[in-house]
Amino acid sequence: MKAVVFHDIGDIRLDDVPEPKIEQPMDAIVRITTSAICGTDLHFVRGTFSGMKQGTILGHEAVGIVEQLGGGVRNLSVGDRVVIPSTIACGYCSYCRAGYYAQCDNANPGGPTAGTAFFGGPEAAGGFNGLQAEKARVPFANVNLVKLPDEVTDDQAILLSDIFPTGYFGADMANIKHGHTVAVFGCGPVGQFAIASAKLMGAGRVLAVDHLPDRLDMARRQGAEVINFDEEDPVKIIMELTGGVGVDCAIDAVGVDAQCPHHGPAAKEAAGKKEQFQQEVEKVAPVQHPDGDNWVPGDAPSQALQWAVQALAKAGTLSIIGVYPPADDSFPIGAAMNKNLTIRMGNCNHRKYIPDLVELVRIGAIDPTAIVTRREEMDSVIDAYKEFDLRRPGWLKVELIESREGRVG
């Protein structure tokens, strides 16, 4: 079968690989009908998240059809259409039963203290093959497959695999109350869903910070008040917009590949931190293999965090859902402590949120498909990766569909 395979930092390929097989009684084999490219995938290719094993299939977002079931799976049938949560959980440990599926004691082969297990990630995350493939093995399938109603399309469901739950998780951790003013840093796919989720939770105002026009335009269409950090100082503008108080909640939807401003009034301060940012990049991405403009790490890993801490009101809440690797230790702890901030962060507990979000989509309360701006066949996936990596206009979220020659029916 065809799959997107990690060979090295800066080197991914569409390869022929063996089809997966049932290995444990709770496994399922799913034929993937729709997958997607995520910004987290780019961290591995850029080198800002290390530990990837050569030969690992990438991808952690997928919708598909159940083809085979292990003997222990009692709640699914062959032929069921399902969405696959990005993180892997057993469903029966104390953490899963408390809703902390991303901290499952049993899913990661490294043991209870190894951390989140997820598809298509580094060895520390379990080394599981990912979902940018024609078929995938899903462990603990009774928990890690969620059946889809007929009313929810594949185009909608692919966004329920990771980015909508992650955006919702970020808004949930931000402890948004009705009337709160929320700042979302980063208007990529997860940031867009953080905006949407903040509004679902009753935020009075949402301020959205980015520098890419198409992303800011989409945020504006959602009703967010947009701030372009290459044209104005985002912290100064946020303070002006909030009467000098700051925001009640901030959501970092950027992560380690943050970029600093290179134009406008905020560029001077960023230039003064150039050496600091360079040291941060060298720490989180000691190995880099750029290919022209592709696979280049962000130039200011802590930029979004610094702005978020500065923009928050005293006693505000910072929610961090942007991905940061274990090697990153550049959080502005002193500034956060002096403002009595509450800081919440982590990998999304996807399985906690997906059933409720499926229902919201089914009843028409929200249609997530506006986020998808490109639909590409698997045959052109490497080119799609490169365009997505460059943040080209119109490449906000890339859905991957079966190549025509590989489709059934």
Side-chain angles (χ1 to χ4, degrees):
M1 69 173 186
K2 295 287 188 183
V4 180
V5 177
F6 178 92
H7 286 263
D8 197 355
I9 294 170
D11 183 5
I12 57 172
R13 308 173 198 172
L14 183 63
D15 287 344
D16 286 305
V17 300
E19 292 192 2
K21 297 179 180 179
I22 297 288
E23 298 177 12
Q24 301 291 334
M26 301 307 294
D27 285 354
I29 303 300
V30 177
R31 177 174 65 84
I32 305 300
T33 55
T34 307
S35 58
I37 304 173
C38 180
T40 302
D41 301 323
L42 296 179
H43 294 319
F44 307 137
V45 191
R46 291 171 180 162
T48 45
F49 204 118
S50 61
M52 287 294 291
K53 182 180 178 181
Q54 182 181 6
T56 301
I57 297 172
L58 288 174
H60 53 265
E61 301 173 271
V63 176
I65 306 295
V66 176
E67 281 201 344
Q68 298 178 52
L69 290 170
V73 183
R74 300 169 180 266
N75 61 334
L76 297 165
S77 301
V78 171
D80 282 344
R81 193 168 65 97
V82 292
V83 58
I84 307 176
S86 299
T87 46
I88 304 169
C90 73
Y92 58 82
C93 72
S94 61
Y95 287 95
C96 288
R97 290 162 67 144
Y100 293 103
Y101 292 94
Q103 295 301 320
C104 174
D105 271 345
N106 300 306
N108 194 323
T113 61
T116 305
F118 63 94
F119 293 100
E123 288 191 272
F128 292 93
N129 275 320
L131 309 179
Q132 290 167 4
E134 294 182 54
K135 296 183 181 182
R137 179 181 78 90
V138 178
F140 301 106
N142 61 312
V143 173
N144 297 307
L145 294 177
V146 178
K147 288 195 282 190
L148 291 167
D150 291 340
E151 298 93 330
V152 177
T153 67
D154 278 16
D155 285 348
Q156 293 172 321
I158 189 58
L159 302 166
L160 301 173
S161 179
D162 178 21
I163 60 171
F164 192 175
T166 300
Y168 196 91
F169 172 61
D172 189 19
M173 285 198 300
N175 197 29
I176 296 168
K177 299 291 192 296
H178 282 272
H180 269 174
T181 297
V182 181
V184 176
F185 291 87
C187 297
V190 170
Q192 298 292 341
F193 279 116
I195 293 168
S197 300
K199 295 177 75 65
L200 283 172
M201 294 177 186
R205 298 170 70 192
V206 179
L207 314 181
V209 181
D210 205 299
H211 70 138
L212 298 176
D214 60 332
R215 297 184 177 198
L216 291 170
D217 286 345
M218 183 173 286
R220 186 184 290 109
R221 289 197 294 273
Q222 291 204 66
E225 300 171 59
V226 301
I227 300 167
N228 185 331
F229 67 71
D230 264 339
E231 296 180 354
E232 48 198 357
D233 184 322
V235 176
K236 180 180 179 181
I237 295 301
I238 287 171
M239 288 300 175
E240 289 179 359
L241 291 172
T242 58
V245 175
V247 295
D248 303 290
C249 320
I251 301 172
D252 171 9
V254 181
V256 69
D257 273 310
Q259 295 178 316
C260 65
H262 296 280
H263 309 282
K268 183 177 180 180
E269 181 180 354
K273 297 179 179 179
K274 184 177 181 179
E275 184 176 347
Q276 173 192 338
F277 289 148
Q278 286 179 337
Q279 291 174 351
E280 292 173 3
V281 173
E282 289 168 4
K283 188 161 191 174
V284 299
V287 179
Q288 304 172 32
H289 295 152
D291 179 12
D293 291 334
N294 276 118
W295 323 134
V296 179
D299 61 8
S302 67
Q303 181 67 90
L305 289 171
Q306 292 184 24
W307 281 340
V309 168
Q310 294 169 28
L312 275 160
K314 293 182 291 185
T317 300
L318 171 58
S319 171
I320 305 170
I321 51 175
V323 173
Y324 292 91
D328 193 337
D329 60 1
S330 54
F331 183 79
I333 187 68
M337 183 175 184
N338 282 330
K339 296 179 79 170
N340 278 48
L341 300 184
T342 296
I343 303 163
R344 305 179 71 189
M345 68 192 85
N347 297 317
C348 180
N349 303 302
H350 294 90
R351 187 56 175 76
K352 175 181 179 179
Y353 298 104
I354 288 175
D356 288 344
L357 297 181
V358 167
E359 181 63 12
L360 285 179
V361 173
R362 186 192 71 80
I363 65 175
I366 189 167
D367 181 5
T369 55
I371 298 296
V372 176
T373 54
R374 300 287 301 196
R375 291 175 177 82
E376 300 291 323
E377 295 186 8
M378 277 292 288
D379 283 347
S380 60
V381 63
I382 304 303
D383 288 337
Y385 252 96
K386 291 178 178 179
E387 294 297 315
F388 181 60
D389 174 62
L390 294 173
R391 303 177 179 89
R392 299 282 197 204
W395 288 82
L396 178 69
K397 183 63 178 177
V398 183
E399 180 182 316
L400 300 174
I401 59 177
E402 296 172 287
S403 297
R404 287 187 177 86
E405 63 183 29
R407 293 181 194 171
V408 177

